[in-house]
Amino acid sequence: MEKELLRIIYQKGFKYSEKEDLKLSSGKLSKFYIDCRVVNSSAKAKYLISHIIYEKIVNLNIDAIGGSATGAIPIADAVSYLSYLEGKELRSFWIRKESKGHGLKKWIEGDVKEGDRVVIVDDVITTGRSTVEAIQRAREAGLNVVMIIILIDREEERGRENIEKEGVEVEALFTISDLMRLKVSVDATE
């Protein structure tokens, strides 16, 4: 499943340029960009992601899975749906970038409550800033963050280390090195 998912990420979401001209959300220019929104729009990718992540967390005794809007939403929802099919329902949640301006003015949306054990997911990390913010918001709401799972670690700007400073185990399904190795392999066959 992992090889198949990596190939989908490479084919649908990986962009590479010899020049550093691909702009990241941080404003920094890079030689590569990973568009996980396109990847996460694929039913097959969601199927593979949900199965791979579910196997990693099924024995962690967690209540819910979620993370920052918007990157975590399709991942968390896919894993939550699969958990129901597998007979172990995990709820999904997401954390807003800003608190809701009306109603209950919540930061976290979804069916989670203080004391819940949760896994936080994210699509791509560079600096780890949005994942760290998600951990902090989850803890402020009284959630017990058990693990972080990232779809792709760009292996830059100490992103993984910044997250690990929060005292939570981080696991990336793939790294930019994995994508670059696949690129070299594909380029060699063309």
Side-chain angles (χ1 to χ4, degrees), residues 32-92:
F32 43 83
Y33 180 79
I34 304 140
D35 188 351
C36 281
R37 282 156 183 76
V38 172
V39 173
N40 290 332
S41 297
S42 159
K44 187 171 189 175
K46 282 186 222 180
Y47 172 86
L48 295 168
I49 291 167
S50 66
H51 279 79
I52 293 166
I53 293 176
Y54 182 76
E55 286 304 313
K56 292 182 180 299
I57 66 173
V58 68
N59 295 318
L60 293 180
N61 190 30
I62 63 165
D63 302 296
I65 183 168
S68 297
T70 60
I73 294 172
I75 298 168
D77 285 348
V79 175
S80 175
Y81 179 72
L82 175 63
S83 75
Y84 176 79
L85 295 177
E86 295 290 325
K88 180 179 176 155
E89 185 175 354
L90 301 174
R91 294 169 271 124
S92 63

Side-chain angles (χ1 to χ4, degrees), residues 128-185:
R129 181 181 42 88
S130 67
T131 305
V132 168
E133 288 172 3
I135 293 167
Q136 292 168 348
R137 291 282 179 222
R139 287 178 172 160
E140 288 168 8
L143 303 179
N144 180 7
V145 180
V146 175
M147 183 179 193
I148 307 298
I149 299 182
I150 306 300
L151 193 55
I152 302 167
D153 180 352
R154 289 179 55 94
E155 300 176 301
E156 292 182 345
E157 300 189 35
R158 302 181 46 82
R160 182 186 197 106
E161 292 85 357
N162 291 335
I163 297 167
E164 288 172 340
K165 285 179 187 173
E166 294 295 316
V168 183
E169 177 188 352
V170 178
E171 183 167 345
L173 299 187
F174 306 105
T175 64
I176 198 64
S177 297
D178 296 325
L179 285 163
M180 291 304 291
R181 278 191 293 276
L182 181 55
K183 179 186 180 332
V184 168
S185 171

Side-chain angles (χ1 to χ4, degrees), residues 64-68 72-73 76 91-95 118-122 134:
I65 183 168
S68 297
I73 294 172
R91 294 169 271 124
S92 63
F93 68 96
W94 65 95
I95 301 167
V118 302
V119 167
I120 290 182
V121 292
D122 209 340

Side-chain angles (χ1 to χ4, degrees), residues 105-124:
K105 299 183 180 181
K106 298 189 296 184
W107 282 93
I108 298 178
E109 298 292 345
D111 186 15
V112 289
K113 62 187 179 313
E114 188 173 337
D116 280 351
R117 291 173 49 87
V118 302
V119 167
I120 290 182
V121 292
D122 209 340
D123 53 3
V124 178

Side-chain angles (χ1 to χ4, degrees), residues 5-6 11-12 14 17 30 33 41 72 82 106 109 130 167:
L5 178 57
L6 182 62
Q11 291 169 340
K12 292 187 176 285
F14 182 68
S17 170
S30 176
Y33 180 79
S41 297
L82 175 63
K106 298 189 296 184
E109 298 292 345
S130 67

